Amino acid sequence: MAISRDSSADARVDVLVLGAGPAGLAAATAAVHAGARVTVVDAGPTPGGQYWRHPPGSSPPGIGQHPTTRVYRMLAETVRARTRYLSGHDVWAVERDDDGFAAHTVHEGAEVTVHARRLVLATGAHDRSLPFPGWDLPGVYSAGGAQSLWKGHRVTIGPRVAVGGTGPFLLPVAADLAAHGARVVGVFEANHPRSWSRHLPAVTSSVGTFLRGAGHVATLSRHRVRPRVRHAVVAAHGDDHVEAVTVVRLTPEWTVVPGSSRVVECDAVAVGWGFTPRLELPLALGCTTRLGADGSLVVRVDDHQATDVTGVYAAGEVCGVGGAALAVVEGELAGLAAAGARAVPDRDRLARLLGRRAQLRRFAQAIHEVYPVRPGWLSWLRPDTLVCRCEEVTVATVTNAVHELGATDARSVKLLTRAGMGWCQGRMCGTGVAALAGAEAGTAATPHAFAERPVATPIPLGLLGRVEKPPLQPGPAPVPSHNRKDRPL
Amino acid sequence: MCHIAPVPAAPDVVVIGAGVVGAACAWHAARAGLRVTVVDRGPVASGTTGAGEGNILVSDKPAGPELELALLSARLWSDLAAELGGFEHHDKGGLVVAASESAHQNLLDTGLGQQAAGVTATPVAPDDLPGYEPHLAGDLAGGMYYPQDAQVQPMLAAARMLADARGHGGAELRTGVQVTGLLRDGERVVGVDTTSGSIPAAAVVNAAGTWGGQVAELAGVHLPVLPRRGFVLVTEPVPVLVRHKVYAAEYVSDVASADAGLHTSPVVEGTDAGPILIGSSRERVGFDRSMPAEILRTLAAAAVRLFPVLARVNVIRAYRGFRPYCPDHLPVIGPDPRAPGLWHACGHEGAGVCLAAATGHVIAASLAGRSTEVDLVPFRPERFG
C-alpha cells in the first residue's frame, strides 16, 4: 500500500481550483493572470472536463472546426504552463483548516492533500438518469456516458444505437455516433421544441449556441436520421444485452399515447434527461444551495461567484446547468474574485462578464423551460422495475416503504429500502427515487436526500487510516459484480 | 340497533418522536390497549435512529441498572423479531478484544461482574480468537464473547413497530407535525399543541431523543440531554469478513467518559446487505454537522488495526448522528412528578436502539398503572435537580 503524502511542504497556494472543465480552466487562467499562485486538481487524465474530453496525446474532438477549440487551447496552455496542474487526482474530501482549506485526493493509490487559501469549486455535473424497465441491461448507457466513451476512448457504444431522453444534448451525442460509424436507429426527444417560440429573445442573444444545435441536426440529416419529438424509449429488452427498445409517442404530460408503442431493434441505447450538478464538495463545506430551474439542487452564488462560505467560490454547472460558454464566463468571474486583492478591478471587464453571464443564463433558463422532465415518466414504470440498480430496489419496494412503513420523503425511503446506498451513492438513482418517493407520498421531491456525500469518492480504509504497513493477509475477494454497477450507465 | 359514525376519539397517549424509542413506546402502549398517537416533526426514524448502527449490546454495560434494562431489552427484541420480523434482527453475538494485557485484565474483571448480573460472558484465549473471527489481527491479548449481543436494522425496526401499532393496535402516526407546546390543566399535562392543531390526551410521552430536553422545556422542567456526535464509516459490499459485532475493550471506558473531547474506539460489524459498518467516535460539539477527515482517519486506522484485511476495502460513505447524552450516561425513563401526565423516554445516548424495547415495555406498564419489570428509580427524570 502506498504511503500518503501531504503537499503542505510545497507551501500553500492562493487559489485551488477543483475541476479542469470549462469553468475550472477559465477560473485558473483568470486567477493566474491576476497574479495568484494557482493549483488545479482534476480527476481526468487531460484538461477539458466532459465538454473538451479527449484521449491523452490527442486534441479535443472537432479541432479546427469547433468554435471553442481556440478557447480551449488558450486556457489549457495557461493552466499547463503557469499553474500546478494535478491530473488523475480524485478529491475524496475537502475541509477548512487553519489558514484556508485542505483538499484530500487519491492519486494512483496514494493520498495527496493540497492546501490553499481560497477555493474555486468547478466540479461540473453528471448525467441525470431516470429508471425504466430494462435499464439495468448491458448496452444501456447514459447520453453523457456514450459521449465520454467516444470522446475519451474513440469507442461507439454499438453498431445500431437508439438515442432518447430530452434536451439539446441528445443531438451532439447522436451526431457523434452517426458520424463515427454507428447506425442511429432513432433520436427520441420527449419534449416538443415548438415552445421555443416563446423564448426568442433568449435564443437570438445566444445565436451561436443555437446554430451549433442546427449543425448537429444537419449531421444527422446526412445520415438520414430525423429526430422525433414527443417520443421516448420506455423499455429496453434482451436476455443478457440490449436487443431492442420499446418506443412510444407521448402526450404533452409524457404519458403513453395508447396504441403508439413499437419495438425497435438495436444493440445499444443512450438515454439522457439533463444533468445533475455535483454538489458533494460544496455541501461538505456548508455552502448554501437553492433549487435550480431544472429541479436540481445548485449552489447559491453572488455576482462574483462567491458562495456564502468565505473564501469559497463556485463556477459552472454546480451553480446551475448552463453549458460550456456560461461555465467559461462564470469561471473567469470566480477566478478573478478568488485571486482577491491581487486582481485590479477592471470595471469594463466585470460589466462585460456580468452582461454575458446574464444573457447565457437566460438562454439556459429557456432550455430548462423547453426541456423539463415531466411527471408522466413515472407511468412507464412497472412494480418490478429496478429504481436502484446497485441495491436492486424495485418500484414495489419503494411503494411499500411509503404506504406500509410510513416513509414520506426520499431520505426515509432510502433508510427503509437501501435505495441510493450502494456503489453509485444515488448518483444514478437519486432523481428517480426522489421523484417516486414524492409522487407516492404526495410530497414535493427532495433532491437534497442524495446530494450530500461526505466521502466524495471511494477510498480504501488503509489509505484513509494512513496505515503505512501493508497488510499481511491478501485483500478480500472482489465485490460480487451485481453489486458493483460502476460501468457507465 | 342504530349505528353512530365514530367520532375520532382523543388518544389516551401522545408519543412525541417516531424514532425507535417512540415506536417501541407506541407499540407496547397499543399492545396494552391504549389509543396512541405518535407525532414527529420529521419522517419516521429521521433523527438519531436513522444514524444508528443498530446495536443491542449487553457486553458494553457494566453491572448496574442500565445492564438490567439491556438484558430485558435483548429478550424483548428477540420476542419482537419472532412476532413481527422484517428488521434484520441477528443474534450474532459480540466479541470484545483487548490489545494490551492491562485492557485484557479489565475485560476479565468487567466480565465477572456482568456474569454475576446474569450475562453470559465467555473468556476467549488469543489462540481461540481466529475461531470466532478468522480475519482478526494476530497479536491481540485476548477477548470475551457475549452471545446475547445482537443487531437490528434500526430504521426498519422503528417503521415495523409503528406499522404494526397502526395496523393492529389502532394507533395513529402523524409525521411532519411539530409539537409547539403542551396542553395544561393546572399542573397536569393533558396533550400537545402542534403545528397542525392541538391533540388532547391523558398522557404525553417525550421520546424526542436528543431533542428531549427541548420537549421537557415546553413543560417547564429541566432535562440535561445534550448531543454527543458520532461518525460511522460504511464500506463497499464485501463477502462475509466479520461475523460478530467486534469492538475493542477501550470502547467501554470511552462510552463511560464524561469528557467533552474526542474519543474513538473501533467497533466493526458486517451487515445483511454486505457493507461493513465502522464506528465509533464520540465528542460533545453541539449539533455541528461538519465531518473532519482526521476523525474518519482515526476510525479507519483502528478498524484496520483489528482487521488488517480491511486495508484494501473501500469506504464509500460516512454519516453522522447526535446521541442523546445525559451527564450520568443513564436514560430518562418514567413519569415526571414535576409535570404530572408527562412521561419521559429519552436520553439513551448510544444505547437507544438496544434499550428501546425495554423502554417501551416499562413505559407502557407505567402508563397503565402497572408495576414495571425493572426498577425505574435510577432513570427518574427529576434526578438531575
Side-chain angles (χ1 to χ4, degrees):
Chain A
M1 177 134 315
I3 296 168
S4 303
R5 96 187 136 87
D6 196 304
S7 72
S8 54
D10 303 336
R12 184 172 294 270
V13 295
D14 300 316
V15 178
L16 171 59
V17 179
L18 300 179
L25 292 179
T29 300
V32 160
H33 288 315
R37 300 177 55 220
V38 178
T39 295
V40 178
V41 164
D42 189 55
T46 53
Q50 170 73 1
Y51 187 67
W52 287 315
R53 185 182 296 277
H54 55 284
S58 77
S59 303
I63 195 125
Q65 309 146 23
H66 201 287
T68 67
T69 300
R70 191 182 54 82
V71 178
Y72 169 76
R73 280 210 166 146
M74 192 264 288
L75 296 176
E77 271 164 26
T78 307
V79 164
R80 282 207 170 99
R82 299 184 54 187
T83 76
R84 181 163 169 248
Y85 163 61
L86 303 173
S87 62
H89 285 63
D90 280 299
V91 178
W92 76 264
V94 57
E95 60 183 344
R96 282 183 170 286
D97 66 6
D98 293 340
D99 187 26
F101 302 91
H104 307 292
T105 77
V106 179
H107 173 64
E108 292 178 353
E111 196 184 0
V112 178
T113 293
V114 184
H115 300 274
R117 290 192 180 82
R118 286 176 293 280
L119 283 180
V120 177
L121 305 174
T123 47
H126 57 75
D127 283 275
R128 182 155 67 184
S129 300
L130 296 178
F132 57 94
W135 76 313
D136 50 322
L137 276 175
V140 178
Y141 293 81
S142 67
Q147 195 193 46
S148 295
L149 280 176
W150 168 249
K151 283 185 172 181
H153 304 281
R154 299 292 183 250
V155 170
T156 54
I157 58 173
R160 293 172 305 167
V161 182
V163 176
T166 191
F169 180 61
L170 301 181
L171 296 177
V173 170
D176 267 354
L177 289 165
H180 297 100
R183 188 158 82 75
V184 175
V185 300
V187 177
F188 306 103
E189 163 60 60
N191 279 301
H192 199 312
R194 186 166 48 205
S195 40
W196 266 120
S197 54
R198 283 189 280 117
H199 300 282
L200 275 181
V203 173
T204 46
S205 69
S206 302
V207 70
T209 312
F210 201 68
L211 286 178
R212 278 201 285 290
H216 298 310
V217 172
T219 305
L220 288 171
S221 164
R222 278 199 299 282
H223 292 86
R224 299 178 201 292
V225 180
R226 190 170 62 88
R228 308 290 303 267
V229 297
R230 290 248 171 89
H231 277 71
V233 172
V234 296
H237 315 283
D239 287 333
D240 47 17
H241 197 277
V242 172
E243 292 164 15
V245 293
T246 297
V247 173
V248 299
R249 202 148 60 77
L250 296 177
T251 66
E253 282 310 303
W254 288 16
T255 54
V256 176
V257 172
S260 68
S261 170
R262 65 192 164 96
V263 171
V264 177
E265 285 188 12
C266 58
D267 314 290
V269 53
V271 197
W273 302 102
F275 300 91
T276 301
R278 293 180 187 269
L279 290 196
E280 292 88 346
L281 305 182
L283 288 175
L285 290 163
C287 298
T288 303
T289 55
R290 62 182 177 84
L291 218 49
D294 59 350
S296 290
L297 214 55
V298 303
V299 179
R300 197 184 277 280
V301 289
D302 69 7
D303 274 354
H304 300 280
Q305 302 296 132
T307 71
D308 56 0
V309 176
T310 306
V312 179
Y313 301 80
E317 312 294 51
V318 285
C319 305
V321 170
L326 177 58
V328 167
V329 172
E330 291 187 350
E332 189 173 340
L333 282 165
L336 284 175
R342 292 158 192 267
V344 181
D346 174 343
R347 289 189 179 282
D348 288 349
R349 182 182 181 190
L350 204 62
R352 181 177 55 74
L353 286 170
L354 287 173
R356 184 78 179 129
R357 188 181 74 167
Q359 189 184 47
L360 288 164
R361 280 186 175 174
R362 279 196 299 276
F363 182 63
Q365 171 87 18
I367 288 195
H368 294 315
E369 284 174 22
V370 173
Y371 299 100
V373 171
R374 299 180 195 273
W377 72 269
L378 286 160
S379 69
W380 313 340
L381 303 178
R382 299 189 307 239
D384 65 348
T385 304
L386 290 179
V387 283
C388 164
R389 306 186 312 173
C390 302
E391 295 291 333
E392 299 182 346
V393 179
T394 63
V395 168
T397 305
V398 171
T399 310
N400 181 65
V402 171
H403 298 297
E404 301 298 321
L405 297 178
T408 46
D409 68 348
R411 179 166 180 263
S412 47
V413 162
K414 172 180 170 178
L415 292 177
L416 294 172
T417 67
R418 301 196 55 77
M421 283 196 188
W423 189 258
C424 89
Q425 287 294 293
R427 289 176 176 92
M428 303 267 185
C429 62
T431 305
V433 172
L436 183 59
E440 290 293 326
T443 54
T446 44
H448 315 65
F450 296 98
E452 195 187 37
R453 299 182 192 98
V455 178
T457 193
I459 176 170
L461 278 163
L463 204 54
L464 176 59
R466 295 183 164 154
V467 181
E468 302 193 1
K469 263 194 322 192
L472 297 172
Q473 295 147 339
V479 178
S481 59
H482 69 275
N483 274 330
R484 190 164 184 164
K485 303 284 166 60
D486 49 351
R487 65 183 164 85
L489 173 62
Chain B
M1 197 156 96
C2 69
H3 288 276
I4 298 167
V7 175
D12 299 311
V13 188
V14 168
V15 175
I16 304 171
V20 69
V21 173
C25 290
W27 190 83
H28 282 284
R31 170 64 52 113
L34 298 171
R35 286 191 309 272
V36 182
T37 294
V38 179
V39 294
D40 197 301
R41 62 180 174 183
V44 170
S46 59
T48 309
T49 300
E53 283 180 290
N55 295 332
I56 297 171
L57 299 185
V58 298
S59 56
D60 68 336
K61 296 169 182 69
E66 196 190 9
L67 179 61
E68 203 187 333
L69 200 63
L71 282 164
L72 170 63
S73 219
R75 209 179 72 223
L76 290 169
W77 273 119
S78 292
D79 294 349
L80 193 71
E83 189 178 337
L84 274 188
F87 51 85
E88 301 176 16
H89 179 269
H90 291 298
D91 288 313
K92 67 196 311 187
L95 184 68
V96 186
V97 296
S100 67
E101 268 314 319
S102 64
H104 189 211
Q105 194 52 53
N106 287 342
L107 187 58
L108 294 173
D109 293 345
T110 307
L112 282 177
Q114 291 169 321
Q115 283 166 343
V119 172
T120 308
T122 312
V124 182
D127 291 349
D128 295 333
L129 284 172
Y132 288 84
E133 288 292 345
H135 298 287
L136 208 51
D139 58 350
L140 297 166
M144 187 79 85
Y145 176 62
Y146 294 88
Q148 286 151 309
D149 283 356
Q151 185 179 343
V152 296
Q153 204 275 33
M155 296 78 88
L156 278 175
R160 296 264 178 222
M161 284 191 282
L162 287 169
D164 191 63
R166 286 151 71 201
H168 297 110
E172 190 188 7
L173 170 65
R174 297 180 63 183
T175 51
V177 173
Q178 179 159 9
V179 171
T180 54
L182 297 176
L183 303 177
R184 302 304 278 263
D185 178 8
E187 279 297 286
R188 271 201 83 74
V189 172
V190 292
V192 295
D193 256 328
T194 77
T195 46
S196 297
S198 57
I199 311 173
V204 172
V205 177
N206 169 16
T210 311
W211 300 269
Q214 296 167 23
V215 170
E217 228 167 82
L218 294 177
V221 296
H222 175 63
L223 277 192
V225 183
L226 293 170
R228 200 177 188 192
R229 185 171 74 176
F231 297 112
V232 174
L233 299 177
V234 185
T235 72
E236 62 189 318
V238 289
V240 178
L241 294 175
V242 181
R243 300 172 181 178
H244 304 88
K245 172 118 214 150
V246 181
Y247 63 91
E250 293 76 16
Y251 176 78
V252 178
S253 57
D254 273 8
V255 171
S257 164
D259 183 7
L262 175 69
H263 292 260
T264 60
S265 43
V267 179
V268 183
E269 68 187 303
T271 60
D272 270 13
I276 290 173
L277 305 182
I278 296 165
S280 64
S281 67
R282 32 187 46 78
E283 60 194 317
R284 294 216 322 272
V285 289
F287 287 102
D288 178 354
R289 288 178 58 78
S290 67
M291 206 175 261
E294 206 48 46
I295 300 179
L296 306 188
R297 292 187 197 289
T298 310
L299 294 180
V304 175
R305 166 75 184 89
L306 284 187
F307 290 95
V309 69
L310 293 180
R312 292 176 193 180
V313 174
N314 279 302
V315 174
I316 63 170
R317 190 158 68 92
Y319 59 88
R320 67 180 82 60
F322 297 95
R323 305 176 185 91
Y325 164 95
C326 285
D328 59 2
H329 301 282
L330 290 178
V332 183
I333 304 171
D336 193 330
R338 301 167 296 177
L342 177 64
W343 272 254
H344 298 286
C346 59
H348 294 72
E349 202 175 332
V353 178
C354 169
L355 301 177
T359 302
H361 190 265
V362 297
I363 285 284
S366 174
L367 286 168
R370 289 188 274 110
S371 66
T372 57
E373 209 159 312
V374 170
D375 179 16
L376 296 185
V377 169
F379 310 116
R380 65 195 188 284
E382 69 278 23
R383 69 183 190 269
F384 304 103

